Amino acid sequence: MAEVDEASKPLFAGLSDVSISEDIPVEGEITVPVGSPSHDDEYSTLDEPVKETILRDLKAVGKKFGHVMYPKKSTTLLRDWDLWGPLLLCVTLALMLQGGSADSKEDGGPQFAEVFVIIWFGSVIITLNSKLLGGTISFFQSLCVLGYCILPLTVAMIVCRLVLLGGTGTASFIVRFIVVVVSFGWSTFASTAFLADSQPPNRKALVVYPVFLFYFVISWMILTFSPSHSDGATDTGP
């Protein structure tokens, strides 16, 4: 019977009476595994000088310019998006388009605000169109790509301004036409290279077409730009 009673007892019945005396030293080491500190934890941008912050942002913008000038399938513009580069390009292009005969009210040319609104409003419309067609990128990522891809057209505007310093003849127009067409194709190709993978395969043409029109309008404004002749010609009364 004693064997039966011992077998019927719970297996760990006596463990509740066991206690560890305070006099017994507990040896060993308890460690909590902690992951290796990341680069973001070691370096905080809140404590860095303003000069380093500006230089770091300028380097990031410069790298994105390089990706646009050498377009290839890359996620840099999509992953590390910003709007500083597009804002700089938009302001630069609008300022250069403002200093021509198109500024006069008689010609009805674009003013600074009009160019600024055309670029940003067009980018927003293209982005909304892309989202409605099932695009997988965010709103600001699309704005970043479209804005940075204005870089070839901004370079074309600078070249055209330099060409116009030598005159506005037929040769000047041919040179400007070639430069603008190449820049237009470059901007369109670069933007579609970054945005193509984020669109449904059967709807890519519907996304590329508004992008084509967007850069075509900007290219047309650059090509039709002519220097102002009203500075040296003032109306004199009889």
Side-chain angles (χ1 to χ4, degrees), residues 93 97 153 156-157 160 180 218-225:
L93 189 60
L97 284 173
L153 293 173
M157 185 65 216
C160 290
V180 171
I218 300 176
S219 301
W220 182 258
M221 290 191 297
I222 296 174
L223 184 61
T224 56
F225 172 85

Side-chain angles (χ1 to χ4, degrees), residues 72-213:
K72 58 182 179 179
K73 289 187 177 181
S74 174
T75 59
T76 302
L77 287 181
L78 299 179
R79 184 180 65 252
D80 304 326
W81 63 269
D82 68 83
L83 299 180
W84 291 112
L87 179 62
L88 175 64
L89 293 174
C90 181
V91 171
T92 303
L93 189 60
L95 286 174
M96 287 189 295
L97 284 173
Q98 189 180 17
S101 61
D103 296 330
S104 60
K105 296 181 180 180
E106 291 79 7
D107 295 334
Q111 301 288 333
F112 175 86
E114 294 174 355
V115 177
F116 197 86
V117 170
I118 287 173
I119 293 176
W120 284 103
F121 185 74
S123 299
V124 170
I125 294 299
I126 294 175
T127 301
L128 292 177
N129 176 71
S130 174
K131 296 295 292 183
L132 292 175
L133 291 176
T136 57
I137 63 175
S138 68
F139 182 83
F140 291 104
Q141 285 176 333
S142 180
L143 287 181
C144 174
V145 172
L146 294 171
Y148 269 103
C149 289
I150 300 177
L151 176 62
L153 293 173
T154 305
V155 175
M157 185 65 216
I158 297 175
V159 174
C160 290
R161 290 294 297 261
L162 294 176
V163 172
L164 286 171
L165 293 177
T168 57
T170 305
S172 173
F173 177 79
I174 293 175
V175 173
R176 290 186 289 120
F177 179 80
I178 295 175
V179 171
V180 171
V181 169
V182 172
S183 300
F184 163 71
W186 203 329
S187 295
T188 305
F189 174 75
S191 60
T192 53
F194 292 115
L195 299 176
D197 293 337
S198 63
Q199 305 300 327
N202 57 341
R203 296 181 178 179
K204 288 184 178 181
L206 297 176
V207 177
V208 173
Y209 179 68
V211 175
F212 176 87
L213 292 179

Side-chain angles (χ1 to χ4, degrees), residues 17-97:
D17 299 331
V18 177
S19 61
I20 299 176
S21 175
E22 296 180 356
D23 299 332
I24 301 175
V26 179
E27 297 181 358
E29 195 173 302
I30 300 176
T31 60
V32 179
V34 179
S36 59
S38 62
H39 179 72
D40 295 336
D41 296 334
E42 296 176 354
Y43 184 76
S44 176
T45 58
L46 296 177
D47 300 328
E48 69 176 356
V50 178
K51 179 181 178 180
E52 293 184 7
T53 303
I54 296 175
L55 291 177
R56 177 171 50 82
D57 292 340
L58 289 177
K59 289 180 180 179
V61 171
K63 289 181 180 179
K64 294 183 178 67
F65 284 163
H67 284 288
V68 174
M69 299 306 293
Y70 181 65
K72 58 182 179 179
K73 289 187 177 181
S74 174
T75 59
T76 302
L77 287 181
L78 299 179
R79 184 180 65 252
D80 304 326
W81 63 269
D82 68 83
L83 299 180
W84 291 112
L87 179 62
L88 175 64
L89 293 174
C90 181
V91 171
T92 303
L93 189 60
L95 286 174
M96 287 189 295
L97 284 173

